[in-house]
Amino acid sequence: MAELEGLEFGKSDFVLLDEVTMEQFMENLKLRFEKGRIYTYIGEVVVSVNPYRRMEIYGKDTIDAYRGRELYENPPHLYAVSDAAYKAMKRRAKDTCIVISGESGAGKTEASKYIMQYIAAITNPSQRAEVESVKNVLLKSNCVLEAFGNAKTNRNDNSSRFGKYMDINFNFNGEPTGGHINNYLLEKSRVVQQQNGERNFHSFYQLLRGGSDELLQSLHLQNDPAAFIYTKEGAATATSNNDRASHKAVMSALEVIGFSAEEINSIYQILASILLLGNLQFESDGESVQILGLEAVGHVSELTATEADSVRKSLLFRTVDTCCGRDAFVKALYERLFGWIVSRINSVIEVKDYDPVLHGKNTVIGVLDIYGFEIFDNNSFEQFCINYCNEKLQQLFIELILRQEQGEYQREGITWQHIDYFNNQIIVDLVEQPHKGIISILDEACLTVGKVTDTVCLESMDTKLAQHPHYTSRKVRTDHTKVLDFKKHFRIRHYAGDVTYSVEGFLEKNKDLLFQDFKRLMYNSANPVLKEMWPDGQLSITEVTKRPLTAATLFKNSIVALVDKLGCKEPYYVRCIKPNEMKSPVLFDDARCQHQVAYLGLMENVMVRRAGFAYRQHYARVLQRYKMTCEYTWPNHLMDSDREAVEAIVTQHGFQDDVAYGLTKLFVRTPRSLFTLEQERAALIPILVLFLQKIWRGALARTRCRRMKAIYAIMSCYKRYKVKAHFWEVERRFANVRTTADYGKSVEWPTPPAALSQFHNNTVMLHRRWWARQIVKNIPPSDMLEVRAKVAALTALSGERKDWGVGRAWQWDYLARDSPQTSSGFARVSKELRNKDDHSRVLFSGFCRKVNRFNKSTDRSLLITDKYVYKLEPKKQFKVLKRLPLDALTGLSVTDGVDQMVALHTSSQDDVLLCLQRGDLGANQDRVGELVGTLVDHFTRSVHAAALFVPHRPPDVLPRASEMFLFCSSELFTQNTIDYLVCLEPFLS
């Protein structure tokens, strides 16, 4: 049973109808058509209604959804039955076939194309080149056969005017290896005559409208179908076929299949010859017949590679006692062309040199797309043959369905109940029975010597078939006088309905004779394609006296062979229904559809399927689908077999009297029991889904948790490894730094992991301090005072002042080292001040220029001891002009330029502005850093605490000087100390 789609779409399987009546059947069919559900099952039979619009249900996603799935797992679809046929072929090495039937316009051709596309899509997953080539040829053959075998009719824009059966061969891997196409009863009369509103075969219009100007000119044609007798009827007829695009597609398909350029050119030369022959006009004077306009004969001669005189003689003279003419020749020419195209395709796709021992068993899927039952206003010999074919296929359908049902019941040990159904064997016998059937009567009339007309043949049928319940004519029964014409019509009561046939033309079409002159003309053509089409043209006049088999007998033999071929395969059916005659996507003609349902035998099919049991399925699948409805089977049963578990489900729901247990399957008698299970299952599914979602989410969460724990464990181990690896690498690189000249200063530190970033910084600092200590240990004690001062200056001025005298030796007491005259005077004053103020050391002394608030400057000398700051007058023997206690200084300001300006800030806010250099500044004579470093070092060592110099910039004194914060630290080896030692290392060494 198909997966239920919802009640709003009706029943997806007609077997599940509450009552099998025509009313319920039609109501369900109409509802599904209106809801866009064009496919419905009858067991394993697909009923397809032509939607007359494009349906988005044939894409790759749909193919993937049906690939490898069972029929009941998805909504009804052509792909489902295609996959079922493919699985049966592949799994059981069983030859299968898909029979597509229905009347013209019901969608048989489209159905066959979708089936072929599906089989091509699901095979050859490894994309083997030779298999892909076979698939492409099989698919492209449809395009070619449609062009040359299909035409627009009043019922169908793309009607197949021939029957087609295609065998697709598969190897043991289920890959297509080749195929074979059989064609049946091409409607060749359409070449010379069409009914009002219909067209000739597509190939003519595609050539005329799609061929290039050069091609048409070479073929002596013009791109106007109305200019030719054989195509003018359909020239103005609206059609959905795009002839130009179709012509390109056909040309491409011919090349893909393997037709050579010469062969393709020959095909279109034959089409052009047919069109030109149709335009020939004849004139008779009572004794002889002449052709008007011999230019066209010359063109035909050129296109067929024959002699113009031979063409003219073949058209005007007879060599046997049979009335044949141009039209017969044209019909035979097109029929031979179509047959040659089919045989040429077969030569490409047929399996050659297949060795079953080497390659495994060669299995087959057959696809039958054949004309449906036809009832026209005027039914002739072609409709008689077509409807006979449908009678044979209907007989096979019923027989195989009954055989399948009976065989399954017997295999499962279920008692078979006889089913009453209409057996159309009586109609088949009416047509084909030897010596008594209509075909035998026609053949007898054709073989009779003398003048035998269609009327005489009808009289013979009336005589021999007068008592047959399915045959009638005006002469046989008088109750049809208002319908049947005397000596013209006869009627057969087919399984699909009564059909009235016109006997006119029956004998001529059945004889299907052609002048031997035409055959010899074509055989003698210089064109090898034409010569190949007419092998019987090599026979001489004395070798062709034996009459060939008639058209009806040939057709009967081919259909009998087809039925035998289908009978030995496992069949799958697609029954196509045409919803209306207007080709409308919304109109559903109840009467029209009901007629098709009746003659397709769909009601009998449903009754056969429901005979005793409407539904049957393997125990394992029943259990898998319904086990959640029974507490003893959910989630898994503990019984001895699946059958016992299914019995528990049935017993719990209380319909054990409505089922039967086969050997491997459960049989359910009425659909209501099945729907009870489906409804309970549908109610439980949401609960189970929530439960499964909960379990699954929990499983996902636990998996995620375990994964996170594992991740954290790995991360922890990895971090430890990275830390240890960093330690090992540091140890390796710095193992011998004590013995190196630079104490490891040039060693590159390894990049630390993020977790050791702060530790790395501290370690680097420790090493730098150790390195500084090693440098300091090598400095003489006499130089330590200068080193300390320079370190202090670096601490205060680093990044603020570019040049502060780090590269020169600091002399501190410049006045004492000046000229002898100056130094002697200053030495005396310095000694006096030391005795007077009791200072122990001169921190700094030197000449300077003092700047007052009025921006006036005077030469002065500056002396800074460890207790006082003195302003001296150098011109007056270094007289003390001003004395400030050293601890009265609150700050010191300098600029960031190269000038020597210094501002000394005092607690009394009586600041002193000095320039430490008189005259021009010499090279490497900057003393600002020396003064700053000396003071900072002094306060650092004397106070052992940070001394903050409050910034102060008198705007009227230093308008462009930048302010600086100067502070010092009690720690000896600060970063600045190390940085100073780094930059001073060359000088120290």
Side-chain angles (χ1 to χ4, degrees):
M1 188 197 77
E3 183 76 26
L4 296 182
E5 299 173 289
L7 297 178
E8 69 273 17
F9 299 114
K11 303 289 177 58
S12 58
D13 194 328
F14 287 112
V15 173
L16 301 179
L17 292 173
D18 293 333
E19 296 181 10
V20 184
T21 62
M22 181 61 78
E23 290 74 17
Q24 282 207 9
F25 190 102
M26 295 304 300
E27 181 181 344
N28 189 64
L29 185 67
K30 182 177 182 179
L31 174 62
R32 291 183 63 78
F33 173 76
E34 292 173 346
K35 294 291 186 179
R37 297 303 192 268
I38 62 173
Y39 299 120
T40 313
Y41 288 143
I42 302 178
E44 295 182 349
V45 176
V46 175
V47 179
S48 171
V49 182
N50 192 339
Y52 285 118
R53 60 187 173 95
R54 186 175 183 83
M55 304 286 288
E56 300 298 330
I57 56 173
Y58 304 103
K60 183 179 182 301
D61 292 341
T62 308
I63 291 175
D64 293 338
Y66 283 85
R67 186 199 305 262
R69 309 306 292 267
E70 300 297 334
L71 280 171
Y72 63 86
E73 293 185 83
N74 285 306
H77 201 288
L78 279 176
Y79 291 167
V81 72
S82 304
D83 197 81
Y86 179 74
K87 287 202 299 282
M89 177 276 300
K90 186 176 181 181
R91 293 176 181 175
R92 304 199 301 270
K94 176 77 174 177
D95 289 346
T96 61
C97 65
I98 302 174
V99 180
I100 309 169
S101 58
E103 70 174 45
S104 179
K108 301 186 300 300
T109 300
E110 291 300 310
S112 68
K113 288 195 289 188
Y114 286 129
I115 290 171
M116 294 287 294
Q117 290 172 4
Y118 179 81
I119 293 175
I122 65 174
T123 54
N124 194 29
S126 59
Q127 297 293 304
R128 289 175 52 201
E130 61 270 23
V131 177
E132 284 300 302
S133 176
V134 171
K135 286 164 53 175
N136 288 337
V137 172
L138 291 173
L139 292 176
K140 294 298 183 181
S141 66
N142 281 328
C143 176
V144 175
L145 294 180
E146 276 190 28
F148 290 89
N150 289 25
K152 179 190 180 303
T153 67
N154 291 323
R155 293 187 172 189
N156 185 3
D157 286 349
N158 189 31
S159 177
S160 296
R161 306 318 300 163
F162 71 105
K164 180 182 70 175
Y165 175 75
M166 176 183 289
D167 268 334
I168 308 173
N169 299 90
F170 295 85
N171 61 15
F172 70 99
N173 279 332
E175 297 173 342
T177 58
H180 185 84
I181 300 172
N182 293 99
N183 64 297
Y184 303 96
L185 194 66
L186 176 72
E187 189 190 18
K188 58 185 178 182
S189 60
R190 179 172 293 271
V191 177
V192 299
Q193 185 178 11
Q194 308 92 40
Q195 296 188 27
N196 292 335
E198 297 190 349
R199 299 207 317 175
N200 208 323
F201 290 101
H202 294 325
S203 55
F204 293 106
Y205 302 93
Q206 292 172 3
L207 171 61
L208 294 175
R209 288 175 172 159
S212 64
D213 293 339
E214 293 79 9
L215 175 63
L216 294 179
Q217 185 176 0
S218 67
L219 298 176
H220 307 290
L221 300 176
Q222 51 184 305
N223 60 355
D224 181 12
F228 302 95
I229 300 297
Y230 291 158
T231 56
K232 69 177 182 179
E233 177 62 40
T237 305
T239 176
S240 61
N241 290 289
N242 186 327
D243 293 319
R244 292 183 181 86
S246 297
H247 177 71
K248 292 181 180 179
V250 171
M251 292 288 284
S252 174
L254 289 170
E255 293 175 358
V256 170
I257 292 171
F259 285 80
S260 66
E262 293 75 14
E263 290 173 330
I264 296 174
N265 191 48
S266 296
I267 291 173
Y268 288 109
Q269 285 176 342
I270 294 173
L271 293 181
S273 300
I274 291 174
L275 293 174
L276 295 175
L277 285 169
N279 279 11
L280 290 180
Q281 296 184 7
F282 298 91
E283 183 182 53
S284 173
D285 58 3
E287 294 183 0
S288 62
V289 179
Q290 297 295 328
I291 300 175
L292 298 179
L294 293 178
E295 182 182 4
V297 175
H299 292 161
V300 172
S301 169
E302 175 190 339
L303 294 172
T304 57
T306 57
E307 304 229 350
D309 191 56
S310 299
V311 173
R312 184 181 61 81
K313 289 180 179 179
S314 298
L315 290 170
L316 295 178
F317 299 100
R318 299 184 306 173
T319 57
V320 295
D321 242 352
T322 308
C323 182
C324 299
R326 172 196 57 190
D327 288 350
F329 173 49
V330 165
K331 290 189 291 185
L333 191 57
Y334 193 83
E335 183 182 37
R336 297 286 180 108
L337 171 64
F338 186 77
W340 178 83
I341 291 175
V342 173
S343 64
R344 183 68 179 81
I345 295 174
N346 285 334
S347 69
V348 175
I349 62 175
E350 280 180 341
V351 180
K352 303 176 183 66
D353 302 327
Y354 190 88
D355 186 355
V357 177
L358 181 62
H359 302 99
K361 186 177 185 300
N362 184 1
T363 48
V364 170
I365 293 180
V367 180
L368 177 64
D369 171 17
I370 203 162
Y371 17 61
F373 199 86
E374 292 187 348
I375 305 177
F376 297 145
D377 294 335
N378 181 28
N379 301 290
S380 187
F381 179 78
E382 290 83 3
Q383 282 68 48
F384 170 76
C385 293
I386 288 173
N387 293 340
Y388 159 66
C389 172
N390 279 269
E391 290 285 358
K392 291 287 288 184
L393 292 177
Q394 176 66 12
Q395 181 188 36
L396 177 67
F397 174 71
I398 294 297
E399 285 181 356
L400 291 179
I401 291 295
L402 288 173
R403 188 190 308 167
Q404 284 179 338
E405 290 291 306
Q406 186 173 4
E408 183 169 29
Y409 282 14
Q410 289 175 350
R411 287 192 303 271
E412 295 293 328
I414 304 297
T415 303
W416 169 256
Q417 297 180 356
H418 178 72
I419 303 166
D420 292 327
Y421 67 96
F422 173 69
N423 189 341
N424 66 334
Q425 181 63 48
I426 188 173
I427 304 176
V428 173
D429 290 340
L430 169 65
V431 177
E432 70 175 16
Q433 188 175 16
H435 310 298
K436 295 182 180 180
I438 295 177
I439 292 179
S440 294
I441 297 173
L442 288 174
D443 288 352
E444 184 180 347
C446 291
L447 295 174
T448 302
V449 179
K451 188 171 180 61
V452 180
T453 62
D454 294 322
T455 304
V456 173
C457 181
L458 178 59
E459 291 176 353
S460 177
M461 287 192 292
D462 289 343
T463 302
K464 294 182 178 182
L465 303 174
Q467 303 303 317
H468 199 287
H470 288 267
Y471 174 86
T472 187
S473 69
R474 175 74 175 271
K475 180 179 179 180
V476 173
R477 287 178 175 81
T478 58
D479 54 338
H480 297 287
T481 54
K482 296 182 180 180
V483 179
L484 303 179
D485 291 343
F486 191 67
K487 295 184 179 181
K488 180 180 180 181
H489 290 155
F490 68 94
R491 176 177 294 167
I492 297 178
R493 184 177 301 167
H494 289 282
Y495 78 95
D498 294 350
V499 181
T500 300
Y501 298 98
S502 172
V503 77
E504 293 180 351
F506 259 59
L507 291 182
E508 180 183 348
K509 293 177 180 178
N510 189 41
K511 291 176 183 177
D512 197 25
L513 293 178
L514 183 66
F515 286 154
Q516 186 66 16
D517 295 54
F518 287 119
K519 296 179 183 179
R520 279 197 288 269
L521 175 68
M522 294 295 99
Y523 179 76
N524 292 324
S525 168
N527 188 326
V529 174
L530 267 172
K531 188 179 185 71
E532 183 182 349
M533 292 180 189
W534 300 84
D536 49 346
Q538 63 181 321
L539 301 177
S540 65
I541 189 65
T542 60
E543 296 176 301
V544 295
T545 54
K546 183 180 179 181
R547 290 181 179 271
L549 294 176
T550 62
T553 299
L554 287 174
F555 182 71
K556 181 192 72 172
N557 294 342
S558 64
I559 294 301
V560 170
L562 173 64
V563 170
D564 292 341
K565 185 179 294 186
L566 296 175
C568 65
K569 293 180 173 62
E570 184 174 320
Y572 293 85
Y573 290 95
V574 178
R575 311 293 257 173
C576 299
I577 293 178
K578 184 177 183 179
N580 59 78
E581 293 290 346
M582 308 301 295
K583 304 173 187 175
S584 168
V586 296
L587 179 62
F588 187 88
D589 189 335
D590 292 87
R592 191 80 185 81
C593 294
Q594 184 171 332
H595 175 70
Q596 295 173 77
V597 168
Y599 79 66
L600 286 173
L602 300 184
M603 290 295 295
E604 288 85 353
N605 192 184
V606 176
M607 288 186 289
V608 166
R609 187 71 179 179
R610 284 177 56 126
F613 302 97
Y615 172 77
R616 72 290 309 270
Q617 192 55 268
H618 291 280
Y619 290 122
R621 292 175 180 169
V622 173
L623 181 62
Q624 181 182 6
R625 187 170 182 83
Y626 301 115
K627 63 181 181 179
M628 72 286 297
T629 65
C630 178
E631 58 182 329
Y632 302 109
T633 57
W634 178 258
N636 295 301
H637 70 86
L638 300 176
M639 303 174 190
D640 294 335
S641 66
D642 289 345
R643 171 174 174 168
E644 292 183 17
V646 171
E647 288 179 3
I649 296 174
V650 171
T651 301
Q652 178 165 323
H653 291 85
F655 52 81
Q656 54 268 32
D657 295 334
D658 198 40
V659 301
Y661 299 99
L663 297 178
T664 63
K665 292 182 179 181
L666 172 71
F667 290 77
V668 182
R669 183 169 284 105
T670 62
R672 194 167 301 280
S673 298
L674 190 62
F675 273 102
T676 301
L677 286 174
E678 284 291 338
Q679 288 173 354
E680 186 164 346
R681 178 180 181 273
L684 289 172
I685 286 296
I687 301 173
L688 294 178
V689 168
L690 291 176
F691 175 75
L692 292 175
Q693 286 178 342
K694 180 185 72 173
I695 298 299
W696 179 242
R697 285 170 182 161
L700 288 179
R702 287 187 290 274
T703 302
R704 198 177 299 115
C705 180
R706 287 192 296 269
R707 186 177 300 163
M708 292 301 297
K709 286 183 178 179
I711 290 172
Y712 286 138
I714 294 171
M715 288 173 60
S716 177
C717 293
Y718 183 71
K719 285 180 179 178
R720 288 197 295 272
Y721 162 75
K722 292 292 287 184
V723 168
K724 291 180 180 179
H726 180 70
F727 290 160
W728 296 332
E729 183 64 17
V730 171
E731 182 182 8
R732 184 187 66 81
R733 295 188 183 188
F734 289 88
N736 301 315
V737 294
R738 290 181 180 275
T739 61
T740 59
D742 61 353
Y743 298 105
K745 174 177 172 291
S746 60
V747 176
E748 182 179 357
W749 285 82
T751 303
L756 293 179
S757 177
Q758 185 60 40
F759 177 81
H760 173 74
N761 294 336
N762 295 337
T763 306
V764 172
M765 177 57 69
L766 286 174
H767 174 261
R768 292 175 71 87
R769 288 182 178 181
W770 176 83
W771 171 83
R773 188 175 297 279
Q774 301 306 311
I775 296 297
V776 169
K777 287 193 329 185
N778 296 327
I779 299 176
S782 60
D783 294 338
M784 282 302 297
L785 187 63
E786 181 180 352
V787 170
R788 283 181 173 275
K790 287 185 176 181
V791 169
L794 178 64
T795 303
L797 299 178
S798 177
E800 301 293 340
R801 189 177 177 92
K802 181 179 179 181
D803 186 12
W804 48 273
V806 67
R808 67 177 180 83
W810 289 357
Q811 299 178 5
W812 320 109
D813 196 355
Y814 289 96
L815 292 177
R817 290 176 172 80
D818 206 287
S819 62
Q821 182 179 358
T822 302
S823 61
S824 61
F826 174 72
R828 180 182 55 79
V829 173
S830 176
K831 183 177 180 181
E832 292 176 356
L833 292 177
R834 180 184 298 110
N835 295 332
K836 179 182 178 181
D837 296 332
D838 195 25
H839 65 79
S840 59
R841 186 169 71 91
V842 175
L843 301 181
F844 183 85
S845 70
F847 291 105
C848 63
R849 291 185 64 82
K850 176 182 176 296
V851 182
N852 63 15
R853 69 185 63 183
F854 303 108
N855 204 21
K856 292 183 178 181
S857 63
T858 56
D859 293 335
R860 295 286 186 268
S861 296
L862 176 66
L863 172 63
I864 302 176
T865 67
D866 56 354
K867 289 187 178 181
Y868 292 96
V869 177
Y870 301 95
K871 181 173 66 173
L872 306 176
E873 172 59 69
K875 296 180 180 180
K876 296 181 179 182
Q877 299 297 318
F878 296 99
K879 178 183 178 180
V880 177
L881 299 179
K882 190 174 183 179
R883 184 182 69 172
L884 293 174
L886 188 59
D887 55 6
L889 293 179
T890 61
L892 178 68
S893 294
V894 299
T895 68
D896 59 357
V898 297
D899 58 77
Q900 301 294 298
M901 298 298 295
V902 176
L904 301 176
H905 307 295
T906 64
S907 57
S908 62
Q909 298 185 355
D910 186 14
D911 299 345
V912 179
L913 182 61
L914 303 170
C915 179
L916 298 182
Q917 183 73 25
R918 289 189 305 178
D920 296 333
L921 180 65
N924 200 21
Q925 293 296 317
D926 190 295
R927 296 178 181 177
V928 172
E930 186 174 355
L931 175 62
V932 171
T934 301
L935 291 177
V936 170
D937 178 59
H938 170 75
F939 280 105
T940 299
R941 289 189 292 114
S942 62
V943 181
H944 298 291
L948 177 64
F949 293 84
V950 179
H952 181 73
R953 178 178 59 81
D956 56 340
V957 177
L958 294 175
R960 289 188 173 88
S962 63
E963 299 177 353
M964 299 177 57
F965 293 93
L966 305 180
F967 60 92
C968 53
S969 171
S970 61
E971 187 174 351
L972 174 62
F973 294 108
T974 63
Q975 180 65 41
N976 288 317
T977 306
I978 300 171
D979 292 342
Y980 164 72
L981 293 176
V982 170
C983 67
L984 198 62
E985 184 179 8
F987 301 101
L988 297 176
S989 58

